[in-house]
């Protein structure tokens, strides 16, 4: 199973990915997680990405395409993967098509979690509060200012990715405002449609 999960920040992509990982025994490939690991490890990519990520802007296409191009060739991704947070621009979606063609692979589905934008800021704030209550580390970009930039990036650069897949007849939309379990059921239904 090779899936792309689309949706704005706070739509629940991470939560639903984790459930799909458990169900299908395939890895979640989150470019955000990989970039945060690179920042933490102070690799050259991490050093380049840190300031961009802290602002809430998108890192250059070539950087994330390079990361994903290597990652999907790793052994644990041989039977499939869930792309979470990639592609985020039409150029990335086209680069993914090229990568998949070169590897002789195909996407099984592109699922978009549709959410009411007004709910997203509150969801982010909840995530911050829950993380703090657990004593965990709050993401540097989980603050109102960076979140606004992330939403703007989503509207201008990532929303066209939905149109790109819709145009190819590959997009399936799921109501991301429903309770978490109901969203999981809707994703399962979309996968069998
Ligand atoms: P996320 O964890 O998916 O919310 O990503 C956190 C941040 O990492 C984003 O705000 C971007 O700065 C960067 N990022 C993650 N994935 C991508 C991508 N596919 N293209 C560009 N930047 C990305």
């Amino acid at each position: 199973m090779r899936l792309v999960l689309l949706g704005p920040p706070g739509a629940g992509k991470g939560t639903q990915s984790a459930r799909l990982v458990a169900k299908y025994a395939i890895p979640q490939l989150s470019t955000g997680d990989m970039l945060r690991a690179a920042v933490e490890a102070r690799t050259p990519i991490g050093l380049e990405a840190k300031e961009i990520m802290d602002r809430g802007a998108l890192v250059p296409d070539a950087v994330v395409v390079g990361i994903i191009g290597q990652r999907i060739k790793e052994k644990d991704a041989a039977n499939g993967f869930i792309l979470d947070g990639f592609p985020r621009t039409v150029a990335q979606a086209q680069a993914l098509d090229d990568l998949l063609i070169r590897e002789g692979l195909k996407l099984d589905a592109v699922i978009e979690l549709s959410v009411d934008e007004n709910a997203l800021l509150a969801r982010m704030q909840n995530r911050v509060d829950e993380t703090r209550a657990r004593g965990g580390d709050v993401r540097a970009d989980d603050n109102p200012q960076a979140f606004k930039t992330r939403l703007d990036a989503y509207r201008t650069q990532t929303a066209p990715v939905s149109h790109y897949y819709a145009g190819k007849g590959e997009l399936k939309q799921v109501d991301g405002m429903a309770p978490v379990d109901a969203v999981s059921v809707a994703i399962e239904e979309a996968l069998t449609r």
Side-chain angles (χ1 to χ4, degrees):
M1 173 83 68
R2 291 180 185 83
L3 286 183
V4 169
L5 269 191
L6 291 176
K13 299 188 296 296
T15 304
Q16 294 301 331
S17 292
R19 292 178 168 212
L20 291 162
V21 164
K23 175 148 194 196
Y24 292 100
I26 50 177
Q28 168 199 14
L29 310 187
S30 155
T31 38
D33 285 350
M34 292 181 231
L35 287 166
R36 278 185 288 277
V39 169
E40 191 70 22
R42 296 174 191 273
T43 66
I45 285 180
L47 294 175
E48 180 187 351
K50 182 178 182 339
E51 176 273 333
I52 301 172
M53 293 172 74
D54 284 354
R55 267 192 291 127
L58 295 186
V59 306
D61 289 335
V63 172
V64 284
V65 168
I67 292 177
I68 285 293
Q70 287 180 356
R71 185 64 185 86
I72 61 173
K73 287 188 206 152
E74 284 176 29
K75 217 167 160 196
D76 65 333
N79 292 326
F81 47 75
I82 301 151
L83 290 173
D84 163 8
F86 179 93
R88 257 183 163 91
T89 64
V90 171
Q92 291 177 22
Q94 288 166 336
L96 175 63
D97 281 349
D98 293 345
L99 275 173
L100 293 172
I101 288 170
R102 245 178 282 143
E103 298 298 315
L105 303 173
K106 238 180 90 36
L107 290 177
D108 293 287
V110 178
I111 294 182
E112 178 174 48
L113 300 179
S114 310
V115 284
D116 173 359
E117 273 200 16
N118 295 320
L120 296 176
L121 187 64
R123 280 191 180 194
M124 183 275 289
Q125 198 55 56
N126 268 347
R127 175 159 80 186
V128 168
D129 294 345
E130 281 171 15
T131 306
R132 286 222 172 94
R134 263 193 276 116
D137 287 332
V138 171
R139 281 171 52 162
D141 59 355
D142 268 351
N143 64 74
Q145 198 178 353
F147 197 78
K148 186 181 173 303
T149 308
R150 287 159 66 195
L151 262 187
D152 285 344
Y154 179 79
R155 271 189 223 111
T156 57
Q157 290 166 277
T158 309
V161 175
S162 307
H163 299 293
Y164 176 80
Y165 286 119
K168 287 161 40 111
E170 292 176 6
L171 186 74
K172 296 166 197 270
Q173 281 172 317
V174 162
D175 176 13
M177 295 302 290
V180 177
D181 287 343
V183 176
S184 302
V185 170
I187 290 175
E188 285 309 321
E189 280 169 8
L191 290 177
T192 51
R193 244 185 254 155

